[in-house]
Amino acid sequence: MTWQDIAKQKREAILTAIPQEWRISDSPSIEDQPDVTIYIEQYLSKEELEITACSADQIAQKCGSGEWSAEDVTRAFCHRASLAHQLLHCLHEIFFDAAIEDAKKLDAYYAEHKRAVGPLHGVPVSLKDQFHVKGVETSMGYVGWIGTFEGKKGTGKEKVYESEMVTMLRTAGAVLFCKTSVPHTLMSGETVNNIIGYTLNPKNRRLASGGSSGGEGALIGIRGSPLGLGSDIGGSIRIPAAFNGLYGLRPSTGRLPYHGIANSMDGQNSILSVVGPLATNAASLRLLTLALLDQKPWFVDPMVLEMPWRYMEENAINENIHDGRGIEKPGGKLSFGVLETDGIVNPTPPVRRAIEELVAALEEAGHEIIPWTPPPHKPLLDAGFKTWIFDSGTDVKSAFALSGEPMAKQVAFFEKLEKEYKASEIAATNVELRGLRKGYLDYWNSTIKETSTGRPVDAVICPLAPFPAARPGRYGYYGYSTWVNILDYSSVTVPVTVVDKAVDGRDEGYVALDERDGEIQDDYDPEIYDGAHVGVQIVGRRLQEERVVALAAYVETLLPFGG
Amino acid sequence: MTWQDIAKQKREAILTAIPQEWRISDSPSIEDQPDVTIYIEQYLSKEELEITACSADQIAQKCGSGEWSAEDVTRAFCHRASLAHQLLHCLHEIFFDAAIEDAKKLDAYYAEHKRAVGPLHGVPVSLKDQFHVKGVETSMGYVGWIGTFEGKKGTGKEKVYESEMVTMLRTAGAVLFCKTSVPHTLMSGETVNNIIGYTLNPKNRRLASGGSSGGEGALIGIRGSPLGLGSDIGGSIRIPAAFNGLYGLRPSTGRLPYHGIANSMDGQNSILSVVGPLATNAASLRLLTLALLDQKPWFVDPMVLEMPWRYMEENAINENIHDGRGIEKPGGKLSFGVLETDGIVNPTPPVRRAIEELVAALEEAGHEIIPWTPPPHKPLLDAGFKTWIFDSGTDVKSAFALSGEPMAKQVAFFEKLEKEYKASEIAATNVELRGLRKGYLDYWNSTIKETSTGRPVDAVICPLAPFPAARPGRYGYYGYSTWVNILDYSSVTVPVTVVDKAVDGRDEGYVALDERDGEIQDDYDPEIYDGAHVGVQIVGRRLQEERVVALAAYVETLLPFGG
C-alpha cells in the first residue's frame, strides 16, 4: 500500500468509529458557516446540551455527588466530539465503546459505595495523540507510525502499553474517550498531517485551531470535551488554548509526569516538552493538576519533582485578592508586569486590545501594572531555537521516511537542516541558555524597585501570539510563546475577548519593524478575523503553577468574557 | 615562561602566603609519619587545639553566642590549614588576611548588636578551587588558567567575580579563608595536578585523599577546616569525605546553587555536577544546607528548585527513631536496603566489615535490613559513562592546551577520545538513562513488599568505593559512587570504622570476578591500609536531602566511631 492508501484507510477508520446516527450528511462549507460553535447545537438533545455546556469541575461535582451518571455524561461528549470531528478534523482515535464501559463501571462503583472513585469521577478527558492508551493506536500524525509502536513493529507494546499519566487519570476517575489531532513532528502552531488533514478553529474555521495540541483546542473549544491533556515545548498547549477561548496551563519541567508518552526528538533535554491541561475554565486546570499531584507522580516518573500542590503558594495570590470570606483585604494587591510588545513582532490590534482590557480590569480591581522591560528576547529566542534543531531533524525525518509521506509546509524547515550539533556545541548552547535565564531572573527580581507591594511583580501579562489565531499556512512568529519555554516558566492562557471587526480595525499608517512584522500585520484582516477568540497569557516564575492557576481563576472573575 | 615555570611560581606563591612562623622546617617523610592527624597537633597551641577540634555547628554556636571571637577561630584554622598544606599539598589559594578582616567585622557586628549576622557566624569555610572568590584566583588545577578567568584573559572578571554561593556563605556569616586542591579536569577520585602535585590522605599518607574535592577531604580530615564545599558528578564530594572519615552530602540536581562556579565540560546536562558540603559531623551538613536554603537560592540561580528545607521530610525519619523527647516510639522503625556488592567489583575486606558494622548497629537499634537487589548496575554505569565523554574531552583538552602541560595519568583516558557525540546520539543516551531511572524507581517502590514498615525502604546502605581509600594511581573502579549520580539520588557518606590490619586481613582464596576485580582485591594490602578511614554511603531517593542528612545524624549516634 502507498502512504496515501494507508492514510486514507486510517482517515476512514476514524469516521467509521462514529456511530451512523451521529453522522452529519450536510456538512456546511467554511464560508457558509465559519463559526460552528452554535451551529453544532442543532444536532444535540437538550440533555446533551446541558451536559456539554458544563466545565470539568462542574461535571466532577455532579458525577461525584451522584447527580449525573458518568454514562450519560460520556455519551453526550462522545456525540458532541463526533460532530466536532466532522466539522473540524480534530480526532485521531475514537474509543467510545471503551469509554462507555468505563463510565458504567464508575456508575456501578458509585451505586455500591455512594462515593466517587476519585476527583475526576465521570469527567471525560481527551488526550493529545501522544498519550498511549490500552487498546488504541498512537500515530502522532505520522502515516509511518500506523500499526506500530512509535514507528517500531513487534515491540509487544502496540495497543497494550499505557502512559503513566493515562493510568493516573483512570485512577482519578476520568473517562478517556478519544485522542486528538496533532501536526506531524509536533513542531507547529497549526495542526496538519497527511492522515486527518487540517484541524480547523471552531469559532472561526477560516483560522487555525492552533498546535501542536490543535485537536485538543478545537475539540474543547467546541465543547466536544470539557478537559484535555496537551504538551508544550514552544507553545503547544497555550497556542490552541488561546486560539480557542480556553484556559491552558504550561507547567514547568518536572511538575507533571511525561513518562511513557510518545514525543518528537525525544531525549533532547535542553528545553523539554511538558504536559499540561486545557479546559474551559481555570477551576478545571486546578482540578486536573491536583488530581495528578495527589497521586505523587514522582513515584512513577523519575523526572517528576517531589513537589505536591502547594496551597501556600496559591494563598500567596489569594490573600492579595480577598481574605477568604469575600472581603477585600485592606492594602492587599497584586503587581503585574505587562509586555506590550517584544520589539521583534508587534501584536496585531485585537491582541493589543485584549492586553489593554485585561490590564484595565486588573487596575480597576486595585492592582498595579508596571511596564515589563526585560533583557531583549532576541538572544533568548535564538538560543532556544537551536535546541529544536540540535539533531537537524534526524528524528522527524526518520519518521517521515517510514512511509515516504511528505512534510507539511508548516514543518518543512526540517528538510533544509543538514548538520547535527555536536556535544561541545550543545554544551555551549546550554551555558548560553543558563546565562540568559540568570539575566532574566535578575531582571524579575529587580522589579521589586518598581512595585509598591514590597515584592517583585507577581506575574507577567503578555501576548501568546501576535494574532488572535494564525491563518492557515501563515504562522510566522512564535516568540511570544517560546520565551516561556526557554526560561521554563509557568504560564496560563486566559480568554479575554473576541475580535470585533467594528472595533479592531487595521492599524492604518503602521510602520513595520521589518519584513516579517509587516507580513504578520498585513495578514490581520478584520473581515476574516471577525468573531475569533483572543487570549493572552499570564506568566509566572519557574514552578509557580499554583500561583498562575490562582491568577487565571481570579482573572476569570474580572473579565466579562470569563466564567 | 614554560608551564613548569608558571606552575612552580604558583606553587611557591601558595607557600609564601603561609606566615613564616607557621612553616614546618622538618616535615616528616610519608614512611616515617603516614598518619599526621595527631602529629600536626604539636605545632598548635592549647587554644588552637580546642577550637579546631570543634565541628562547624559547635563553632557556630560558640561564635553565634559571643563565647568565642570569630577572629580567634579564624586564626586557629588558618594556622592548622597552613600546617595541613605543608604535610598534604591540599591548598590552591590562601587568603588568610582577608579572612581575618572578615572575622573582625563579624566580631564588631556582634559587639554592637549582640547577635550573629547569620547561622554560620564565624565559621571558617573552605572552598574547592572551583568557587570564585573576590580577590582570589581560580586555577582549578590548570596551569593555563593561572592569571585568567577560567582560561580567558581580559574578561574583567579576574579576581572580581564571585560565585553566587560564595556571596550566600558570606551573608550567612561564614569566614572564607582558603581554596582547596582538585585534580585537573575534576574527573578523578585522586587529587593531582601540575601545580601542587598530589594531595595526600592525612590519616594515612600512603593513600589518596580522594577526589575531585580531595583538597577539601584532606583539609577537613586533618581539621584544618571544619566545613567545606565540594562538587560531585561521579562521587567527588563523597569520595574524599569517605576517604577522610567525614560526612559528605551529595544533593540531587537543583537543590543548591551552582551558578557562577567554574566547572569542567560545563553545559553537559545529562548528568550534572552538584555542589554540597563536607564536614566532621552530620549536624554541620544540616547547618550549611539550611543556611543556604533559607536564603532562597532559587532567586539567584535559575537552575535551583523552589524547595525550602522540608522539616516534615526530616521528621519522616526522626519519628521512626524517637518521639522528639528521646523516648522510643513504639513500633516505629526504619527499613534499609543493603547493597553488599554490585556484582561488578566486590568491596575489599574493610569495606565489607564497615557495611556489616553499620547494618549490625541499625539492627541492634531495632531497624530492618533487606537485601538490595536492584536492576543490574552495569547498563546504568555504561550509559552514565557516555555522558562524561560526550565531548570526547574537547573541553579539558583545550584547557591543557593553554599551557602545554601534560595530563596526569589519572585522567589520561581523555587523550584517547576522538569523536564527539552528536545530538541524536546524546538524545538516545538521555532516553536510555530515563528508562534505566524508571526501572530503578520501580524497583525501589517494589520493596514495599519486602519491608514490614508499610513503606518501601527508607534508604540504601552501600559502599562508596571498593576500598577504604585508593592507593595513588590505582583508582580502578567508580561504580559504587557513580550510580548515585546517574540516578540523581541524594546520598550522604558516614564514617564507620578504621582499617585494622589485625582484623581486616586479605581475603585468602578469593576468586576474582574478572581481571579488574582481581587487581583491586590485590591492591588491598593490610599493612599499607592499616589505620585508614572506612566510610560508606546512605542513599536516598532523588531530592531527599532532609532524610539522608537525618539518617546520617542518627547513624552518627549509633556508631562507636561517630560523634
Side-chain angles (χ1 to χ4, degrees):
Chain A
M1 289 210 291
T2 64
W3 70 260
Q4 290 91 340
D5 295 333
I6 300 169
K8 182 160 181 277
Q9 198 176 65
K10 180 74 185 178
R11 184 162 55 246
E12 287 170 356
I14 299 168
L15 273 174
T16 306
I18 296 174
Q20 202 60 47
E21 65 272 24
W22 291 350
R23 303 282 177 90
I24 303 176
S25 53
D26 53 345
S27 199
S29 76
I30 289 175
E31 283 317 307
D32 284 351
Q33 198 65 54
D35 180 350
V36 289
T37 55
I38 305 301
Y39 176 88
I40 197 176
E41 303 197 339
Q42 65 185 293
Y43 299 105
L44 295 159
S45 71
K46 184 165 160 291
E47 290 71 27
E48 287 172 331
L49 286 173
E50 189 192 355
I51 288 167
T52 55
C54 283
S55 58
D57 65 309
Q58 291 170 325
I59 294 167
Q61 193 271 322
K62 296 217 189 248
C63 286
S65 63
E67 188 179 338
W68 282 357
S69 84
E71 186 181 349
D72 287 347
V73 170
T74 299
R75 285 186 189 277
F77 278 102
C78 289
H79 188 188
R80 194 158 181 148
S82 297
L83 301 167
H85 179 64
Q86 294 171 77
L87 297 164
L88 306 170
H89 321 130
C90 57
L91 300 184
H92 276 188
E93 301 291 338
I94 287 173
F95 39 103
F96 298 157
D97 292 347
I100 290 164
E101 279 310 299
D102 289 344
K104 284 179 178 170
K105 283 181 200 154
L106 290 168
D107 289 333
Y109 182 94
Y110 193 92
E112 185 180 345
H113 301 285
K114 300 287 174 247
R115 60 180 166 81
V117 304
L120 298 176
H121 187 104
V123 179
V125 173
S126 48
L127 301 168
K128 183 177 187 178
D129 191 22
Q130 290 178 257
F131 290 80
H132 293 298
V133 175
K134 269 190 196 112
V136 180
E137 196 159 72
T138 302
S139 78
M140 221 168 74
Y142 289 128
V143 176
W145 278 27
I146 294 169
T148 73
F149 182 80
E150 301 184 2
K152 291 181 210 73
K153 285 184 184 171
T155 64
K157 290 183 170 182
E158 292 90 336
K159 295 195 181 187
V160 176
Y161 181 80
E162 198 154 270
S163 307
E164 291 290 353
M165 193 195 279
V166 172
T167 307
M168 297 178 85
L169 290 168
R170 294 189 194 278
T171 302
V175 178
L176 310 174
F177 68 117
C178 64
K179 294 207 295 176
T180 56
S181 58
V182 301
H184 48 210
T185 78
L186 308 177
M187 298 302 282
S188 175
E190 301 174 61
T191 291
V192 58
N193 63 56
N194 294 316
I195 302 168
I196 54 91
Y198 193 96
T199 305
L200 302 169
N201 188 311
K203 191 71 168 56
N204 186 333
R205 295 196 296 167
R206 290 175 292 224
L207 301 175
S209 68
S212 65
S213 315
E216 284 302 318
L219 182 67
I220 306 172
I222 201 167
R223 303 297 186 264
S225 168
L227 177 62
L229 268 302
S231 70
D232 193 322
I233 196 172
S236 287
I237 289 169
R238 293 162 291 146
I239 292 164
F243 287 12
N244 292 284
L246 303 174
Y247 294 79
L249 170 65
R250 187 259 171 216
S252 293
T253 304
R255 202 73 205 267
L256 294 181
Y258 213 114
H259 198 90
I261 295 169
N263 203 355
S264 280
M265 297 176 284
D266 194 13
Q268 181 277 99
N269 69 345
S270 295
I271 297 176
L272 278 92
S273 175
V274 296
V275 283
L278 298 88
T280 61
N281 64 357
S284 299
L285 301 183
R286 183 180 188 277
L287 176 71
L288 185 284
T289 307
L290 256 166
L292 293 172
L293 292 182
D294 282 354
Q295 290 181 55
K296 303 185 195 294
W298 48 90
F299 284 116
V300 297
D301 184 338
M303 294 184 73
V304 173
L305 303 169
E306 183 172 335
M307 192 180 279
W309 182 265
R310 295 162 302 172
Y311 293 89
M312 279 177 65
E313 292 297 319
E314 200 171 17
N315 289 343
I317 296 300
N318 290 337
E319 72 181 1
N320 287 303
I321 300 169
H322 56 69
D323 72 353
R325 290 168 299 167
I327 302 163
E328 292 293 327
K329 185 186 165 196
K333 70 173 162 186
L334 299 168
S335 175
F336 297 88
V338 59
L339 182 81
E340 291 179 351
T341 177
D342 67 6
I344 302 167
V345 170
N346 285 324
T348 55
V351 175
R352 219 163 54 211
R353 179 168 63 82
I355 295 284
E356 287 162 6
E357 289 189 6
L358 177 52
V359 162
L362 287 165
E363 284 183 327
E364 172 70 23
H367 303 294
E368 183 176 72
I369 307 285
I370 67 162
W372 188 247
T373 54
H377 278 197
K378 180 123 195 339
L380 205 59
L381 304 180
D382 290 345
F385 183 73
K386 290 183 207 170
T387 71
W388 297 309
I389 58 165
F390 274 162
D391 82 344
S392 72
T394 300
D395 172 70
V396 303
K397 285 172 191 165
S398 72
F400 285 104
L402 290 170
S403 70
E405 64 175 323
M407 288 186 195
K409 73 168 185 177
Q410 284 85 349
V411 296
F413 67 94
F414 279 117
E415 262 167 3
K416 292 174 208 137
L417 304 174
E418 282 180 0
K419 195 152 177 292
E420 293 201 37
Y421 279 61
K422 56 186 184 181
S424 55
E425 293 165 335
I426 292 173
T429 306
N430 289 333
V431 171
E432 184 187 2
L433 284 167
R434 199 178 62 215
L436 292 163
R437 288 169 181 152
K438 169 65 170 165
Y440 220 95
L441 177 59
D442 288 344
Y443 169 69
W444 194 309
N445 293 336
S446 77
T447 61
I448 196 166
K449 292 177 301 203
E450 314 287 327
T451 68
S452 66
T453 56
R455 307 185 301 273
V457 297
D458 295 296
V460 177
I461 291 165
C462 87
L464 190 275
F467 26 67
R471 290 170 65 179
R474 297 184 182 184
Y475 206 128
Y477 183 63
Y478 288 94
Y480 284 105
S481 55
T482 55
W483 72 276
V484 169
N485 301 80
I486 296 163
L487 296 171
D488 197 22
Y489 285 172
S490 51
S491 173
V492 65
T493 55
V494 294
V496 174
T497 187
V498 292
V499 177
D500 179 347
K501 65 181 176 184
V503 175
D504 304 310
R506 275 185 196 274
D507 214 345
E508 299 303 336
Y510 177 82
V511 180
L513 299 173
D514 62 9
E515 193 181 344
R516 176 174 56 181
D517 180 56
E519 281 171 14
I520 286 170
Q521 306 302 325
D522 281 349
D523 279 346
Y524 173 64
D525 179 336
E527 290 297 330
I528 288 175
Y529 272 90
D530 192 45
H533 289 291
V534 195
V536 305
Q537 66 184 334
I538 302 174
V539 180
R541 292 171 186 266
R542 185 175 173 217
L543 295 168
Q544 288 285 336
E545 290 73 25
E546 294 87 348
R547 291 187 189 228
V548 294
V549 170
L551 287 170
Y554 177 53
V555 160
E556 195 177 347
T557 68
L558 296 181
L559 295 172
F561 196 79
Chain B
M1 285 210 295
T2 63
W3 69 261
Q4 289 91 339
D5 293 333
I6 300 169
K8 182 161 181 275
Q9 198 175 66
K10 181 73 185 176
R11 186 163 53 244
E12 286 171 357
I14 299 168
L15 273 175
T16 306
I18 296 175
Q20 204 58 49
E21 65 273 25
W22 292 348
R23 303 283 178 89
I24 302 177
S25 53
D26 53 345
S27 200
S29 75
I30 290 175
E31 284 316 307
D32 284 350
Q33 198 65 51
D35 179 351
V36 288
T37 55
I38 305 300
Y39 176 88
I40 197 176
E41 303 196 342
Q42 64 185 290
Y43 299 104
L44 296 160
S45 71
K46 186 165 160 287
E47 291 71 24
E48 286 171 331
L49 286 174
E50 189 192 358
I51 288 168
T52 55
C54 282
S55 59
D57 65 308
Q58 290 170 327
I59 294 167
Q61 193 270 323
K62 296 216 189 248
C63 285
S65 63
E67 189 180 336
W68 282 355
S69 85
E71 185 182 347
D72 288 346
V73 169
T74 299
R75 285 186 189 276
F77 278 101
C78 289
H79 187 187
R80 193 155 181 150
S82 296
L83 300 168
H85 179 64
Q86 295 171 78
L87 297 164
L88 307 169
H89 321 128
C90 57
L91 300 184
H92 276 189
E93 301 291 338
I94 286 173
F95 38 103
F96 297 157
D97 291 347
I100 290 164
E101 279 311 299
D102 288 345
K104 284 179 178 169
K105 284 181 199 152
L106 289 168
D107 289 333
Y109 182 94
Y110 193 91
E112 185 179 347
H113 300 285
K114 300 286 175 250
R115 59 181 166 82
V117 304
L120 297 176
H121 187 103
V123 179
V125 172
S126 48
L127 301 167
K128 185 177 186 177
D129 190 23
Q130 291 179 256
F131 290 80
H132 293 297
V133 175
K134 269 187 198 118
V136 180
E137 196 159 70
T138 302
S139 77
M140 220 168 73
Y142 289 128
V143 176
W145 279 28
I146 293 169
T148 74
F149 181 79
E150 301 184 0
K152 293 181 209 73
K153 285 185 183 169
T155 65
K157 291 184 169 180
E158 292 89 338
K159 295 195 181 185
V160 177
Y161 182 80
E162 197 154 273
S163 307
E164 291 291 353
M165 193 195 277
V166 172
T167 307
M168 298 178 84
L169 289 169
R170 293 190 195 279
T171 302
V175 177
L176 310 174
F177 68 117
C178 63
K179 294 209 294 175
T180 56
S181 57
V182 302
H184 48 209
T185 78
L186 308 177
M187 298 303 281
S188 175
E190 300 173 61
T191 292
V192 57
N193 65 54
N194 294 316
I195 302 168
I196 53 91
Y198 194 96
T199 305
L200 303 170
N201 188 311
K203 191 71 167 58
N204 185 334
R205 294 196 296 165
R206 289 174 293 224
L207 301 174
S209 69
S212 64
S213 315
E216 285 301 318
L219 182 66
I220 306 172
I222 201 166
R223 302 300 186 264
S225 168
L227 177 62
L229 268 303
S231 70
D232 192 322
I233 197 174
S236 287
I237 290 169
R238 292 163 291 145
I239 292 166
F243 287 12
N244 292 284
L246 303 173
Y247 294 78
L249 170 65
R250 187 260 171 211
S252 293
T253 304
R255 203 72 205 266
L256 294 181
Y258 213 114
H259 198 88
I261 294 170
N263 203 355
S264 280
M265 298 176 281
D266 195 14
Q268 181 277 99
N269 70 344
S270 296
I271 297 175
L272 280 91
S273 175
V274 296
V275 281
L278 299 87
T280 61
N281 65 357
S284 299
L285 301 183
R286 183 181 187 277
L287 176 71
L288 185 282
T289 307
L290 256 165
L292 293 171
L293 292 182
D294 282 354
Q295 291 182 54
K296 303 183 196 294
W298 48 91
F299 284 116
V300 297
D301 184 338
M303 294 184 74
V304 172
L305 303 169
E306 184 174 334
M307 192 179 279
W309 182 264
R310 296 162 302 174
Y311 293 89
M312 278 177 64
E313 292 296 321
E314 199 172 18
N315 289 344
I317 296 301
N318 290 338
E319 71 182 0
N320 287 302
I321 299 169
H322 56 70
D323 72 352
R325 291 169 298 168
I327 302 163
E328 292 294 327
K329 186 187 164 198
K333 69 174 163 186
L334 299 167
S335 174
F336 296 88
V338 59
L339 182 80
E340 291 180 350
T341 176
D342 67 7
I344 303 167
V345 171
N346 285 323
T348 54
V351 175
R352 221 163 54 211
R353 179 169 63 83
I355 296 283
E356 285 163 4
E357 288 188 6
L358 177 52
V359 163
L362 287 165
E363 284 183 327
E364 172 71 22
H367 302 294
E368 183 177 72
I369 306 287
I370 68 162
W372 188 246
T373 54
H377 279 198
K378 180 120 195 343
L380 205 60
L381 304 180
D382 289 346
F385 183 72
K386 291 184 205 168
T387 71
W388 297 307
I389 59 165
F390 273 162
D391 82 346
S392 72
T394 300
D395 172 69
V396 303
K397 285 172 192 166
S398 73
F400 285 104
L402 290 171
S403 70
E405 64 175 324
M407 289 187 195
K409 74 170 185 174
Q410 283 85 348
V411 297
F413 68 93
F414 279 117
E415 262 169 4
K416 292 175 207 133
L417 304 173
E418 282 180 1
K419 196 153 176 291
E420 292 202 37
Y421 278 62
K422 57 186 184 180
S424 55
E425 294 166 335
I426 292 173
T429 306
N430 289 333
V431 171
E432 184 187 2
L433 284 168
R434 200 177 63 215
L436 292 163
R437 288 168 182 152
K438 169 66 170 163
Y440 220 95
L441 177 59
D442 288 345
Y443 169 69
W444 193 308
N445 292 336
S446 77
T447 61
I448 195 168
K449 292 177 302 200
E450 315 286 328
T451 68
S452 65
T453 57
R455 306 184 304 272
V457 297
D458 295 295
V460 177
I461 291 165
C462 86
L464 190 274
F467 26 67
R471 289 170 64 179
R474 296 183 181 183
Y475 206 129
Y477 182 64
Y478 288 94
Y480 284 105
S481 55
T482 55
W483 73 276
V484 169
N485 301 79
I486 296 163
L487 295 170
D488 196 22
Y489 286 172
S490 50
S491 173
V492 65
T493 54
V494 294
V496 175
T497 187
V498 291
V499 177
D500 178 347
K501 66 181 177 185
V503 175
D504 303 309
R506 277 183 194 275
D507 213 346
E508 299 304 335
Y510 178 81
V511 180
L513 300 172
D514 62 10
E515 194 181 345
R516 176 175 55 182
D517 179 56
E519 280 171 15
I520 286 170
Q521 306 303 325
D522 281 347
D523 278 346
Y524 173 65
D525 180 336
E527 290 297 329
I528 288 174
Y529 273 89
D530 192 45
H533 288 291
V534 194
V536 305
Q537 66 183 336
I538 302 174
V539 180
R541 291 172 186 267
R542 185 174 172 218
L543 295 168
Q544 288 285 336
E545 290 73 24
E546 294 86 349
R547 291 187 189 225
V548 294
V549 171
L551 286 171
Y554 176 53
V555 159
E556 196 177 346
T557 67
L558 294 181
L559 294 172
F561 197 77

